[in-house]
Amino acid sequence: MRLANFINGTFVPPRANAYLDDVEPATGEVLAHVPDSDSQDVDDAVRAAKAAFPAWAAMHAEQRSRLLLKLAELIEQNLDELAQLESRDNGKSVSLARRLDIPRAVANFRFFATAILHHASEAHIADGHALNYTLRQPIGIAGLISPWNLPLYLLSWKIAPALACGNTCVAKPSELTPLTAQRLAELSLDAGIPPGVLNIVHGYGAKAGAALCEHPDVPLISFTGGTVTGAKVAATAAPKFKKLSLELGGKNPNLIFADADLDEAVSTSIRSSFWNQGEICLCGSRIFVERSIYDAFLERFVAATKQLRIGDPADPQTDVGALISAAHLEKVTGYLRLAEEEGGTIVTGGKRVDRPGFFLEPAVITGLGCDCRVLQEEIFGPVVTITPFDAEDDAIAFANSTRYGLSATVWTRDLQRAHRVAAKLDAGTIWINCWLLRDLRVPFGGVKDSGVGREGGVDSLHFFTEPKNICVKLS
Ligand code: NDP
């Protein structure tokens, strides 16, 4: 299969006619050929988006909303096909794609298509002398860059609010997972979204992604990806004073206090550690357990880990599929070797599975302190550390001991402690006795090296519009 860029409502080959291999993680075989786009292709897409902007921005919000709702409906109607594409392209189990990725992409389009209808702006009357009101207008062409781990979901998280607010966009999905983006482009045509409003350019981040960040006609960049890449994006965009949102990596802690519901804490922590092969930015990769229940937790957690079914992502019974690439598998196994060098014990898992593709048994590591690299650096795989703590303050200090601050999970039945601890954790999202529950109205993002800016709900509508304050003299 040969993919194409989606520019001005048509599928076009890359100008240089160069292609990259899209490798299927579960087999290691080439699944498709994806455009290796360069700055010329990005320029074509930006030109199309620029031409489409005035009409799209001027369209009534209700009309834009209707088109985006239609797109949501089409994604929903094609849920099974999209889940299969996502599973083959990414290596995740098809049941997870069906349950998580695709329904959440539908929800993103529905949410922002309707949110824009209720978006109000502020007015202030200054002692009866003047009326100030804030006019929020679309900005122009949004550059949207997304990673491979939740491909359609994260792309829709950006496209939906950008378009709902009246911007046009050029999206650059990860070249490792282009298939659902291509299908989304087709569905956008069926939904009646006008040519040039949504453009998709495939290719390497360092080439096509960087060209998008540098482009003088792209005034805002919404980026989701790793912290190192985020720093490069910021270095490119900041001197050009672009509006920038960075959603970056995480090294998220799970704090489990002795009074927690142990059954719930274990089963949810298994999901938060190993769902999507641990390749979710919000996965809890460092588990801290109060010493009095440490042994009991570890025993149950290890037993539940051993029961996970690893294998063919297309099998609906599979819990853990393949990692995204050979290079990523090498990175993750490198951290397992490091864990042993640092004095840790791999209690279970950590072995490559004897079959083609990039499979790894989920691994549980004990015996490492918070300052070890394995507890400091984002591994982004099915690897979790478990460490005991003695007191609440220690738990908070351990949780906050990395440069990341994306999310955290607290398990306790003590209501006061839950709130007290949550307030002291360095994280953009803190789940109490749950994980990955999302309400699209809340601000989403990280602190410290996990990112800057917030998206979600009103924050997305604010990010994708420019406020203009208008002051009218009344008397
Ligand atoms: P990367 O940072 O490698 O890539 C993210 C995207 O940026 C890809 O499309 C990539 O293209 C592109 N890119 C790479 N270099 C540049 C550049 N110089 N300029 C512009 N774009 C560039 O992340 P991964 O794809 O490996 O995704 C995993 C990371 O994403 C993890 O760190 C994870 O925590 C984070 N993440 C954060 C989330 C959040 O909400 N905070 C959500 C999901 C993931 P290419 O694929 O070609 O490199």
mmCIF file of all heavy atoms in Angstrom, residues 10-37:
data_model
loop_
_atom_site.group_PDB
_atom_site.id
_atom_site.type_symbol
_atom_site.label_atom_id
_atom_site.label_comp_id
_atom_site.label_asym_id
_atom_site.label_seq_id
_atom_site.Cartn_x
_atom_site.Cartn_y
_atom_site.Cartn_z
ATOM 1 N N THR A 10 -7.108 16.683 -1.859
ATOM 2 C CA THR A 10 -6.731 15.584 -2.762
ATOM 3 C C THR A 10 -5.504 14.845 -2.214
ATOM 4 O O THR A 10 -4.710 15.411 -1.447
ATOM 5 C CB THR A 10 -6.403 16.082 -4.188
ATOM 6 O OG1 THR A 10 -5.443 17.116 -4.072
ATOM 7 C CG2 THR A 10 -7.619 16.610 -4.905
ATOM 8 N N PHE A 11 -5.391 13.609 -2.647
ATOM 9 C CA PHE A 11 -4.253 12.798 -2.224
ATOM 10 C C PHE A 11 -3.135 12.964 -3.247
ATOM 11 O O PHE A 11 -3.340 12.685 -4.432
ATOM 12 C CB PHE A 11 -4.675 11.328 -2.083
ATOM 13 C CG PHE A 11 -5.590 11.144 -0.898
ATOM 14 C CD1 PHE A 11 -6.973 11.170 -1.063
ATOM 15 C CD2 PHE A 11 -5.072 11.008 0.374
ATOM 16 C CE1 PHE A 11 -7.814 11.037 0.028
ATOM 17 C CE2 PHE A 11 -5.915 10.873 1.483
ATOM 18 C CZ PHE A 11 -7.284 10.893 1.306
ATOM 19 N N VAL A 12 -2.003 13.453 -2.776
ATOM 20 C CA VAL A 12 -0.917 13.751 -3.715
ATOM 21 C C VAL A 12 0.378 13.069 -3.254
ATOM 22 O O VAL A 12 0.629 12.947 -2.051
ATOM 23 C CB VAL A 12 -0.675 15.276 -3.839
ATOM 24 C CG1 VAL A 12 -1.853 15.959 -4.502
ATOM 25 C CG2 VAL A 12 -0.397 15.919 -2.494
ATOM 26 N N PRO A 13 1.194 12.645 -4.224
ATOM 27 C CA PRO A 13 2.478 12.047 -3.839
ATOM 28 C C PRO A 13 3.431 13.124 -3.331
ATOM 29 O O PRO A 13 3.252 14.302 -3.648
ATOM 30 C CB PRO A 13 2.991 11.434 -5.152
ATOM 31 C CG PRO A 13 2.301 12.201 -6.223
ATOM 32 C CD PRO A 13 0.995 12.684 -5.677
ATOM 33 N N PRO A 14 4.442 12.744 -2.567
ATOM 34 C CA PRO A 14 5.416 13.752 -2.134
ATOM 35 C C PRO A 14 6.180 14.284 -3.342
ATOM 36 O O PRO A 14 6.430 13.537 -4.298
ATOM 37 C CB PRO A 14 6.332 12.979 -1.189
ATOM 38 C CG PRO A 14 6.157 11.540 -1.564
ATOM 39 C CD PRO A 14 4.777 11.396 -2.085
ATOM 40 N N ARG A 15 6.530 15.565 -3.302
ATOM 41 C CA ARG A 15 7.207 16.188 -4.450
ATOM 42 C C ARG A 15 8.462 15.435 -4.863
ATOM 43 O O ARG A 15 8.735 15.274 -6.050
ATOM 44 C CB ARG A 15 7.615 17.619 -4.078
ATOM 45 C CG ARG A 15 6.458 18.557 -3.934
ATOM 46 C CD ARG A 15 6.178 19.218 -5.271
ATOM 47 N NE ARG A 15 5.429 20.431 -4.997
ATOM 48 C CZ ARG A 15 5.601 21.561 -5.640
ATOM 49 N NH1 ARG A 15 6.494 21.648 -6.604
ATOM 50 N NH2 ARG A 15 4.875 22.602 -5.343
ATOM 51 N N ALA A 16 9.229 14.985 -3.869
ATOM 52 C CA ALA A 16 10.493 14.314 -4.192
ATOM 53 C C ALA A 16 10.276 12.845 -4.556
ATOM 54 O O ALA A 16 11.231 12.127 -4.851
ATOM 55 C CB ALA A 16 11.448 14.424 -3.012
ATOM 56 N N ASN A 17 9.031 12.405 -4.497
ATOM 57 C CA ASN A 17 8.671 11.018 -4.798
ATOM 58 C C ASN A 17 9.436 10.017 -3.926
ATOM 59 O O ASN A 17 9.752 8.903 -4.364
ATOM 60 C CB ASN A 17 8.895 10.729 -6.288
ATOM 61 C CG ASN A 17 7.944 9.650 -6.764
ATOM 62 O OD1 ASN A 17 6.840 9.515 -6.213
ATOM 63 N ND2 ASN A 17 8.366 8.867 -7.725
ATOM 64 N N ALA A 18 9.740 10.425 -2.699
ATOM 65 C CA ALA A 18 10.492 9.548 -1.788
ATOM 66 C C ALA A 18 9.526 8.976 -0.744
ATOM 67 O O ALA A 18 8.603 9.664 -0.310
ATOM 68 C CB ALA A 18 11.585 10.338 -1.097
ATOM 69 N N TYR A 19 9.770 7.726 -0.366
ATOM 70 C CA TYR A 19 8.864 7.039 0.563
ATOM 71 C C TYR A 19 9.657 6.357 1.671
ATOM 72 O O TYR A 19 10.818 5.980 1.475
ATOM 73 C CB TYR A 19 8.016 5.998 -0.185
ATOM 74 C CG TYR A 19 6.990 6.653 -1.089
ATOM 75 C CD1 TYR A 19 7.326 7.072 -2.373
ATOM 76 C CD2 TYR A 19 5.697 6.908 -0.624
ATOM 77 C CE1 TYR A 19 6.406 7.711 -3.192
ATOM 78 C CE2 TYR A 19 4.760 7.539 -1.443
ATOM 79 C CZ TYR A 19 5.118 7.938 -2.715
ATOM 80 O OH TYR A 19 4.203 8.574 -3.518
ATOM 81 N N LEU A 20 8.978 6.190 2.818
ATOM 82 C CA LEU A 20 9.556 5.467 3.952
ATOM 83 C C LEU A 20 8.756 4.188 4.151
ATOM 84 O O LEU A 20 7.579 4.130 3.789
ATOM 85 C CB LEU A 20 9.428 6.313 5.229
ATOM 86 C CG LEU A 20 9.991 7.727 5.167
ATOM 87 C CD1 LEU A 20 9.472 8.547 6.353
ATOM 88 C CD2 LEU A 20 11.511 7.666 5.176
ATOM 89 N N ASP A 21 9.385 3.203 4.772
ATOM 90 C CA ASP A 21 8.665 1.968 5.084
ATOM 91 C C ASP A 21 7.873 2.147 6.372
ATOM 92 O O ASP A 21 8.405 2.628 7.371
ATOM 93 C CB ASP A 21 9.647 0.799 5.288
ATOM 94 C CG ASP A 21 10.282 0.377 3.969
ATOM 95 O OD1 ASP A 21 9.746 0.756 2.905
ATOM 96 O OD2 ASP A 21 11.317 -0.313 4.024
ATOM 97 N N ASP A 22 6.617 1.749 6.332
ATOM 98 C CA ASP A 22 5.807 1.671 7.550
ATOM 99 C C ASP A 22 5.794 0.199 7.953
ATOM 100 O O ASP A 22 5.201 -0.630 7.266
ATOM 101 C CB ASP A 22 4.387 2.188 7.254
ATOM 102 C CG ASP A 22 3.461 2.040 8.445
ATOM 103 O OD1 ASP A 22 3.957 1.894 9.576
ATOM 104 O OD2 ASP A 22 2.223 2.069 8.244
ATOM 105 N N VAL A 23 6.477 -0.115 9.048
ATOM 106 C CA VAL A 23 6.679 -1.511 9.434
ATOM 107 C C VAL A 23 5.614 -1.940 10.439
ATOM 108 O O VAL A 23 5.311 -1.208 11.388
ATOM 109 C CB VAL A 23 8.097 -1.678 10.038
ATOM 110 C CG1 VAL A 23 8.283 -3.090 10.604
ATOM 111 C CG2 VAL A 23 9.153 -1.376 8.984
ATOM 112 N N GLU A 24 5.071 -3.143 10.223
ATOM 113 C CA GLU A 24 4.062 -3.677 11.142
ATOM 114 C C GLU A 24 4.771 -4.247 12.378
ATOM 115 O O GLU A 24 5.553 -5.209 12.257
ATOM 116 C CB GLU A 24 3.255 -4.773 10.437
ATOM 117 C CG GLU A 24 2.178 -5.348 11.313
ATOM 118 C CD GLU A 24 1.264 -6.312 10.552
ATOM 119 O OE1 GLU A 24 1.556 -6.627 9.387
ATOM 120 O OE2 GLU A 24 0.258 -6.723 11.139
ATOM 121 N N PRO A 25 4.491 -3.697 13.565
ATOM 122 C CA PRO A 25 5.248 -4.128 14.748
ATOM 123 C C PRO A 25 5.082 -5.608 15.088
ATOM 124 O O PRO A 25 5.987 -6.216 15.650
ATOM 125 C CB PRO A 25 4.671 -3.242 15.861
ATOM 126 C CG PRO A 25 4.124 -2.053 15.158
ATOM 127 C CD PRO A 25 3.613 -2.558 13.855
ATOM 128 N N ALA A 26 3.929 -6.181 14.775
ATOM 129 C CA ALA A 26 3.686 -7.575 15.170
ATOM 130 C C ALA A 26 4.380 -8.578 14.257
ATOM 131 O O ALA A 26 4.464 -9.760 14.590
ATOM 132 C CB ALA A 26 2.185 -7.852 15.195
ATOM 133 N N THR A 27 4.864 -8.128 13.098
ATOM 134 C CA THR A 27 5.510 -9.062 12.175
ATOM 135 C C THR A 27 6.910 -8.606 11.758
ATOM 136 O O THR A 27 7.713 -9.405 11.301
ATOM 137 C CB THR A 27 4.675 -9.201 10.876
ATOM 138 O OG1 THR A 27 4.599 -7.916 10.254
ATOM 139 C CG2 THR A 27 3.274 -9.719 11.166
ATOM 140 N N GLY A 28 7.171 -7.322 11.870
ATOM 141 C CA GLY A 28 8.435 -6.793 11.358
ATOM 142 C C GLY A 28 8.412 -6.621 9.844
ATOM 143 O O GLY A 28 9.409 -6.253 9.232
ATOM 144 N N GLU A 29 7.254 -6.893 9.224
ATOM 145 C CA GLU A 29 7.142 -6.777 7.759
ATOM 146 C C GLU A 29 6.679 -5.364 7.374
ATOM 147 O O GLU A 29 5.987 -4.704 8.153
ATOM 148 C CB GLU A 29 6.088 -7.755 7.223
ATOM 149 C CG GLU A 29 6.282 -9.201 7.597
ATOM 150 C CD GLU A 29 7.385 -9.839 6.788
ATOM 151 O OE1 GLU A 29 7.494 -9.514 5.599
ATOM 152 O OE2 GLU A 29 8.136 -10.653 7.368
ATOM 153 N N VAL A 30 7.015 -4.971 6.143
ATOM 154 C CA VAL A 30 6.572 -3.656 5.661
ATOM 155 C C VAL A 30 5.076 -3.721 5.357
ATOM 156 O O VAL A 30 4.615 -4.607 4.646
ATOM 157 C CB VAL A 30 7.373 -3.224 4.415
ATOM 158 C CG1 VAL A 30 6.814 -1.922 3.850
ATOM 159 C CG2 VAL A 30 8.842 -3.050 4.772
ATOM 160 N N LEU A 31 4.361 -2.758 5.925
ATOM 161 C CA LEU A 31 2.906 -2.738 5.817
ATOM 162 C C LEU A 31 2.466 -1.745 4.743
ATOM 163 O O LEU A 31 1.489 -1.942 4.044
ATOM 164 C CB LEU A 31 2.371 -2.311 7.186
ATOM 165 C CG LEU A 31 0.897 -2.279 7.498
ATOM 166 C CD1 LEU A 31 0.299 -3.651 7.298
ATOM 167 C CD2 LEU A 31 0.714 -1.833 8.950
ATOM 168 N N ALA A 32 3.197 -0.655 4.649
ATOM 169 C CA ALA A 32 2.829 0.405 3.700
ATOM 170 C C ALA A 32 4.064 1.270 3.436
ATOM 171 O O ALA A 32 5.064 1.174 4.150
ATOM 172 C CB ALA A 32 1.710 1.256 4.288
ATOM 173 N N HIS A 33 3.932 2.069 2.407
ATOM 174 C CA HIS A 33 4.993 3.042 2.110
ATOM 175 C C HIS A 33 4.410 4.424 2.342
ATOM 176 O O HIS A 33 3.346 4.758 1.823
ATOM 177 C CB HIS A 33 5.480 2.875 0.679
ATOM 178 C CG HIS A 33 6.049 1.517 0.431
ATOM 179 N ND1 HIS A 33 7.319 1.165 0.825
ATOM 180 C CD2 HIS A 33 5.495 0.404 -0.105
ATOM 181 C CE1 HIS A 33 7.533 -0.112 0.536
ATOM 182 N NE2 HIS A 33 6.431 -0.596 -0.033
ATOM 183 N N VAL A 34 5.119 5.198 3.137
ATOM 184 C CA VAL A 34 4.573 6.475 3.577
ATOM 185 C C VAL A 34 5.431 7.612 3.009
ATOM 186 O O VAL A 34 6.658 7.487 2.946
ATOM 187 C CB VAL A 34 4.478 6.489 5.140
ATOM 188 C CG1 VAL A 34 5.798 6.182 5.795
ATOM 189 C CG2 VAL A 34 3.921 7.774 5.665
ATOM 190 N N PRO A 35 4.815 8.702 2.550
ATOM 191 C CA PRO A 35 5.602 9.783 1.955
ATOM 192 C C PRO A 35 6.687 10.300 2.901
ATOM 193 O O PRO A 35 6.431 10.515 4.075
ATOM 194 C CB PRO A 35 4.554 10.884 1.708
ATOM 195 C CG PRO A 35 3.274 10.155 1.523
ATOM 196 C CD PRO A 35 3.365 8.970 2.452
ATOM 197 N N ASP A 36 7.868 10.441 2.340
ATOM 198 C CA ASP A 36 8.987 11.060 3.072
ATOM 199 C C ASP A 36 8.977 12.541 2.670
ATOM 200 O O ASP A 36 9.771 12.980 1.846
ATOM 201 C CB ASP A 36 10.287 10.352 2.650
ATOM 202 C CG ASP A 36 11.515 10.950 3.314
ATOM 203 O OD1 ASP A 36 11.357 11.805 4.194
ATOM 204 O OD2 ASP A 36 12.631 10.548 2.927
ATOM 205 N N SER A 37 8.042 13.275 3.254
ATOM 206 C CA SER A 37 7.790 14.643 2.769
ATOM 207 C C SER A 37 8.897 15.594 3.216
ATOM 208 O O SER A 37 9.568 15.359 4.212
ATOM 209 C CB SER A 37 6.449 15.147 3.296
ATOM 210 O OG SER A 37 5.439 14.218 3.009
#
